[in-house]
Amino acid sequence: MSKIAAAFQKQHKCFIPFITAGDPDLETTRRLIVAMANAGADIIELGIPFSDPVAEGEVIQAANIRALAAGTTTDKIFAMLAEVRKETNVPLVFLTYVNPIFTYGTEKFMAACQSTGVDGIIVPDVPYEEKAELAGLCRQYGVDLIPLVAPTSDERIKMIAKEAQGYVYIVSSLGVTGVRQDITTDIAAIVRKIREVTDVPAAVGFGIATPQQAREIAAISDGAIVGSAVVQIIGEHGENCLEPLTDYVKQMATAVHGVE
Amino acid sequence: MTKGRYGVHGGQYIPETLMNAVLELEAAYEYYKNDPQFNKELQALYHDYANRPSLLYYAEKMTKDLGGAKIYLKREDLNHTGSHKINNVLGQVLLAKKMGKKRVLAETGAGQHGVATATAAALMDMECTVYMGREDTERQALNVFRMQLLGAKVVAVDSGTKTLKDAVNEAMRQWTANVNDTYYVLGSVMGPHPYPAMVRDFQSVIGREVKAQMLEKEGRLPDVVMACVGGGSNAMGLFYDFIPDKEVQLIGVEAAGRGVNTAETAATIARGSIGIFHGMKSYFLQDEYGQIAPVYSISAGLDYPGIGPEHAELYDTGRAQYVSATDGEAVAAFSYLSRTEGIIPAIESAHAIAYAQKLAPTLPKDKIIVVNVSGRGDKDVAAIARYMGVDLHE
């Protein structure tokens, strides 16, 4: 069983925080991964910073800029992960645009994922129609290719879910990443469609910030993904984000883990 | 291989949120491009509103001055709104209307595409928002006001290099947020399928006219057709009908900025490598980790780190050649054409003129070159004055 599958086999729903690698620097990222795992994060999504993050709202755009300004590169991220793996076995998933993978060399990238223990990748600009760009090498190197479904996916949901690996990432709302007051999409209906065709779990992201929102989402899915709210704390506290972020992750993980 | 491919280039690398919208667009375009009523309406807009066909003008003074090949200018600068951009926009906004959309959004670099979109939106009763890099709103302030006069909302984009690339990023973000009722009018032969094919089809009127006009004037095809290339829509429109005519040489002129061997360049074919960005696989200016480079050109319309996928394929197969002109060469050509022929070209088009100045003297007098004057230069006058150190007391 993959580490991702094992995480969803636990007796509770999953809390999945996202951070941008190298924000504000890679040493902080290394410490954050370990601290978040110890604070109850079931899976951690790690963004590879990109010059032009087209799917991101302002908060995560700013994190990308901070990380790149700090000199973060794909090679340095892999080197940092090799250190992380000495301290924690938490499942790790990359969230990255396709160009950093393609330009690095897709095979070289997947091989490095395998050797540093990256369990899956989420690539927002590779839809179902283009997944052949990555799927073969993902399979060869044991990296789950985690697909996204959106509020606009409708009849595409089943087609996407049928071939999903790791988990299905349900995008809760239209638009880019960022905290939202209300999530109006019928998430439960999307989850039902996914469950008709696959046992692969479904986690929900975009817009979730509060324990209450996370509880509501976890109640109708297999997990809650939180990005902008986490990155906001890093943006506010910089290198000193460890303590406030650990507190936040504990609070959110407790909320999600308490859901029946 | 997936849809919309040009060799290895092209494709549909976009977020899942946009996939159904792009598939809907693709289906609508496939239907309407063969619909006689749609084509009748589009032709009427071209002829009665946009001033098509545009002239093919024999530049006799320029030809004599350069002393080589005979030079014809395709006068896209005489179109309504002052550039080739109107060809694509009338097609897309008409399509949006047929699709029942009420709002359009667009990115713009120099502002020509934004002005054209605002114009078509005014004509066809659409709400229009245009995203433009903050730096471009400053160097093309006149076009910002033109768009506002036409009833469009102009949003200055402050991310990244604050130029065309960032305007595309923001337009894509806003499209993702408003995908249910909004049509994205992409301005060049780039982005996810079907945009590169659709924009090329709407722009291909340029090459079709050139072919007919050249046969009428000279009784034969030209030897060389050339145009400036940023994303590449005016060049693709000029080239397309000539692709099967192997004896016609196709030349795209990129913006070298301060020089192709400097960091301040936008010459994608000269300096780029293959990548995947803005919905397409193609050539991009980027670093070894796939970070998109902050490009530079004096021309806001050519200041883009990629090139349309069909150009990438024409380059790979050798069917078209890509050269470049620097800021300095383009500014000199801007002045040259103004003084020699009394035609002030857009600074974008001046890049093509600059290369024509180099090429024509090397060819015998019985050869014919067609240069696409993709737009008029009124919008650039203030920026060129600044470049030349002239104080206009604006």
Side-chain angles (χ1 to χ4, degrees), chain B residues 342-364:
Chain B
I343 296 168
I344 303 177
I347 189 64
E348 289 77 20
S349 323
H351 286 72
I353 300 294
Y355 191 71
Q357 285 180 268
K358 283 188 194 170
L359 180 66
T362 70
L363 298 176

Side-chain angles (χ1 to χ4, degrees), chain B residues 253-276:
Chain B
V253 186
E254 299 190 305
R258 298 206 162 89
V260 279
N261 295 318
T262 71
E264 291 174 294
T265 184
T268 304
I269 291 284
R271 287 285 302 281
S273 56
I274 189 167
I276 304 171

Side-chain angles (χ1 to χ4, degrees), chain B residues 129-163:
Chain B
T129 308
V130 178
Y131 295 87
M132 188 170 187
R134 173 83 60 189
E135 183 175 323
D136 293 338
T137 61
E138 284 159 14
R139 56 181 167 174
Q140 299 289 352
L142 195 62
N143 270 344
V144 174
F145 190 61
R146 285 171 81 194
M147 287 184 267
Q148 289 164 343
L149 278 175
L150 291 159
K153 186 177 160 203
V154 180
V155 179
V157 176
D158 277 314
S159 60
T161 48
K162 304 179 173 52
T163 58

